[in-house]
Amino acid sequence: MAASLRLRGAASGLRFWSRRQRPAVASLAVVCSRSMASKTPVGFIGLGNMGNPMAKNLMKHGYPLIIYDVFPDACKEFQDAGEQVVSCPADVAEKADRIITMLPTSINAIEAYSGANGILKKVKKGSLLIDSSTIDPAVSKELAKEVEKMGAVFMDAPVSGDF
């Protein structure tokens, strides 16, 4: 039977224990790394109806953004707020190792990842690429294979505007 894991907060710190282990004090830095994470830039590609509010939410919570959209006007308010705007998806990949894509079609996603100036041209090994586009699952699977060949991680996390 697998050991169950429980977490308990206490004045002396956080404690982990299982049926087979004696309690041990966990490092608060390991458990709570949000302040460190908020200092790491997040790349965001696609500032349309869905991407714009998602990027604004990240910005509101202190995440520095590296922004790209095929329509430069979509980037203006982010640039005015001090966020970095770049000229292509490859430049996003060069400057950020966590990238969110929120694109309207499979064709847009393929271009953003595999195009002449796509993410895969400059993606760093170990980068996390989160695709929130609502696209054909076969395209998503193909993009995942290409990303993994480059040593990065692809996460398919589609969203829908229908609530």
Side-chain angles (χ1 to χ4, degrees):
M1 175 162 59
S4 64
L5 182 65
R6 297 180 187 193
L7 173 66
R8 182 180 79 189
S12 62
L14 296 174
R15 299 176 192 262
F16 291 89
W17 74 89
S18 74
R19 291 183 209 155
R20 296 180 185 174
Q21 259 182 318
R22 294 183 59 173
V25 176
S27 168
L28 189 56
V30 172
V31 175
C32 184
S33 63
R34 182 170 164 85
S35 63
M36 173 87 92
S38 67
K39 295 176 184 171
T40 304
V42 175
F44 206 102
I45 300 171
L47 298 170
N49 292 333
M50 300 289 284
N52 183 289
M54 290 171 65
K56 282 180 181 173
N57 195 40
L58 289 167
M59 187 173 67
K60 179 176 114 180
H61 289 284
Y63 291 90
L65 299 176
I66 310 295
I67 299 283
Y68 172 75
D69 193 275
V70 293
F71 298 106
D73 287 348
C75 302
K76 183 164 178 23
E77 93 180 276
F78 290 94
Q79 189 167 25
D80 291 347
E83 302 301 336
Q84 186 175 359
V85 176
V86 296
S87 61
C88 66
D91 291 345
V92 174
E94 183 176 44
K95 296 173 184 290
D97 59 9
R98 295 183 297 174
I99 302 169
I100 299 168
T101 51
M102 178 49 116
L103 303 161
T105 69
S106 294
I107 293 168
N108 297 126
I110 292 166
E111 182 64 25
Y113 280 87
S114 305
N117 291 307
I119 294 167
L120 296 177
K121 297 294 181 195
K122 294 186 181 177
V123 69
K124 295 175 277 204
K125 202 174 207 173
S127 292
L128 173 61
L129 309 179
I130 303 169
D131 183 39
S132 291
S133 310
T134 303
I135 60 174
D136 182 335
V139 170
S140 187
K141 287 176 185 173
E142 193 57 39
L143 291 175
K145 287 178 191 173
E146 295 302 314
V147 167
E148 289 168 6
K149 284 180 190 174
M150 303 300 292
V153 176
F154 183 89
M155 183 180 295
D156 184 24
V159 299
S160 171
D162 300 328
F163 294 102

